[in-house]
Amino acid sequence: MTPRVIISVTIASLYLLVFLVFVGFQNSTAAAWMFFFSPLVIGTMAYMIVRYGEYTGGELKPDEEWGYEDKDRSKLGLFW
């Protein structure tokens, strides 16, 4: 992963942790403000992941479906 992705995920995780601490200590004003700005934090994190993240999995062929790329569908035991 790129450093930008790691930093944005770390900041969003710390933001959530601080929010939970405020909720736990019943600091409703700070928790309300953090809750108000949380979509901005999550949206920024999602943008960073989509924009700067690197996909390392294999590409799907035209006749394949999304799913477990390293497993054969007939060997999963969930399909007939």
Side-chain angles (χ1 to χ4, degrees), residues 65-73 76 78:
E65 297 177 7
W66 181 86
Y68 296 99
E69 63 185 40
D70 59 340
K71 302 287 183 188
D72 185 15
R73 180 176 173 175
L76 287 174
L78 301 173

Side-chain angles (χ1 to χ4, degrees), residues 7-77:
I7 290 170
S8 77
V9 170
T10 302
I11 289 172
S13 299
L14 290 173
Y15 190 87
L16 173 64
L17 183 65
V18 171
F19 173 75
L20 292 175
V21 167
F22 283 147
V23 169
F25 286 120
Q26 298 177 354
N27 188 343
S28 60
T29 304
W33 279 106
M34 288 188 76
F35 183 77
F36 179 75
F37 287 110
S38 64
L40 180 65
V41 174
I42 299 301
T44 303
M45 180 188 69
Y47 172 76
M48 291 293 209
I49 291 171
V50 170
R51 177 71 172 92
Y52 300 107
E54 298 171 358
Y55 177 69
T56 59
E59 294 296 323
L60 295 176
K61 297 174 186 149
D63 61 339
E64 289 182 324
E65 297 177 7
W66 181 86
Y68 296 99
E69 63 185 40
D70 59 340
K71 302 287 183 188
D72 185 15
R73 180 176 173 175
S74 63
K75 294 181 183 178
L76 287 174

